[in-house]
Amino acid sequence: MRRVSRRREIRSWLMDMDGVLVHEESAIPGADRFLGTLREREIPFLVLTNNSIYTRRDLAARLKASGLEVPEESIWTSANAMAQFLSDQRPAGSAFVIGEAGLTTALHQNGYTLTERDPDYVVLGETRTYSFERITHAIRLIVGGARFIATNPDATGPSLQGPLPATGAVAALISRATGVEPYFVGKPNPLMMRSALNAIDAHSETTAMIGDRMDTDVVAGLEAGLETVLVLTGVTTLEEAERFPFRPSRIVRSVADLIDELG
């Protein structure tokens, strides 16, 4: 639909999941052909999501149920980025975690111990069952000196019934109670983009980021030096995109419009 800047040669692709490949558990038209073409031509790609609830295996199964074939090794979550970051910062450390299996599994796989006593970090992720008791315990641990870190700053998440409070909203509650702001690892932090590039041995100059949100996907790709592609199948509309002080490299209707350029 629109070209904003000079096109690069793209050899690898990063893409958001919700709003780009699926919408409310249904595959977006053309997503299956786009992914199939990437696999057939052995083009490196990674599906990125700020969702830390599910493991990569879980997400691969959920995508398959929507008709999309994505190997689990081609999925990268904010939980994976978080676990890798903590492993680099404090190897074999400890954490008190508010979150689900996606986050705890990633931390275990990277050598972390989960504890409720004197942890190195309080790690906040997304969950559908936020516990007042665990939030209270997290607040007391942070006041006692534990470092505060969270998977992503998204304040709300989507559901069929309407928005749900997400990690960013609960992080704000904890920050208000402690006076301590968390470090967010997931999008739009370029750290997540760089960890994803490293996971597929890709270079920023020849990689594109496809997303449906200007405030996370596009800005994260932009700050990491990637070509950015906004699709109009998710959150951001064409009119809303024009209100931001930065622009994507391109705006297209959907990933189906990108198939022909995969070579």
Side-chain angles (χ1 to χ4, degrees):
M1 293 178 64
R2 176 173 301 185
R3 179 185 296 178
V4 179
S5 61
R6 183 176 60 84
R7 294 273 293 276
R8 307 182 190 179
E9 178 189 2
I10 301 303
R11 300 175 190 163
S12 51
W13 296 81
L14 305 180
M15 66 203 74
D16 188 32
M17 186 171 69
D18 294 311
V20 175
L21 301 178
V22 293
H23 180 68
E24 294 182 354
E25 307 299 326
S26 297
I28 286 170
D32 56 343
R33 291 187 291 120
F34 180 71
L35 292 169
T37 304
L38 289 173
R39 292 196 310 271
E40 289 166 12
R41 296 174 185 171
E42 298 183 346
I43 299 171
F45 75 94
L46 209 56
V47 176
L48 304 185
T49 177
N50 268 350
N51 189 323
S52 64
I53 292 178
Y54 304 103
T55 66
R56 294 197 286 178
R57 183 177 299 175
D58 295 334
L59 289 172
R62 289 167 66 88
L63 287 169
K64 188 171 184 178
S66 299
L68 301 178
E69 293 285 344
V70 180
E72 62 180 276
E73 60 269 19
S74 295
I75 297 173
W76 193 249
T77 75
S78 61
N80 298 122
M82 166 76 77
Q84 186 176 89
F85 174 74
L86 292 186
S87 178
D88 291 340
Q89 290 283 305
R90 288 180 175 270
S94 62
F96 174 75
V97 178
I98 297 176
E100 300 287 347
L103 183 54
T104 57
T105 299
L107 288 168
H108 276 140
Q109 289 174 342
N110 279 268
Y112 255 64
T113 300
L114 306 188
T115 181
E116 298 191 358
R117 298 182 62 185
D118 194 28
D120 295 316
Y121 295 93
V122 166
V123 178
L124 176 65
E126 193 170 350
T127 174
R128 294 289 184 258
T129 55
Y130 285 109
S131 159
F132 181 80
E133 288 75 15
R134 290 186 70 78
I135 290 173
T136 299
H137 193 58
I139 289 168
R140 291 170 179 168
L141 289 171
I142 292 167
V143 169
R147 301 157 189 86
F148 185 21
I149 192 164
T151 53
N152 62 288
D154 300 44
T156 62
S159 78
L160 294 174
Q161 292 75 35
L164 297 168
T167 308
V170 180
L173 183 160
I174 294 173
S175 292
R176 186 66 181 269
T178 62
V180 177
E181 296 290 329
Y183 180 66
F184 291 108
V185 172
K187 295 178 295 181
N189 190 340
L191 178 74
M192 183 165 175
M193 312 304 287
R194 288 195 292 271
S195 68
L197 290 171
N198 290 338
I200 57 173
D201 195 24
H203 194 280
S204 60
E205 289 297 317
T206 54
T207 302
M209 173 65 195
I210 310 168
D212 71 308
R213 295 184 65 120
M214 289 288 289
D215 57 350
T216 53
D217 304 319
V218 171
V219 72
L222 182 70
E223 292 181 357
L226 280 61
E227 174 158 321
T228 53
V229 182
L230 177 71
V231 293
L232 302 177
T233 48
V235 172
T236 305
T237 65
L238 185 61
E239 294 73 25
E240 289 169 343
E242 291 295 334
R243 299 174 191 159
F244 285 82
F246 52 88
R247 287 181 164 187
S249 308
R250 282 184 281 164
I251 300 176
V252 299
R253 285 181 293 270
S254 75
V255 289
D257 295 331
L258 301 171
I259 296 171
D260 289 343
E261 72 180 69
L262 294 180

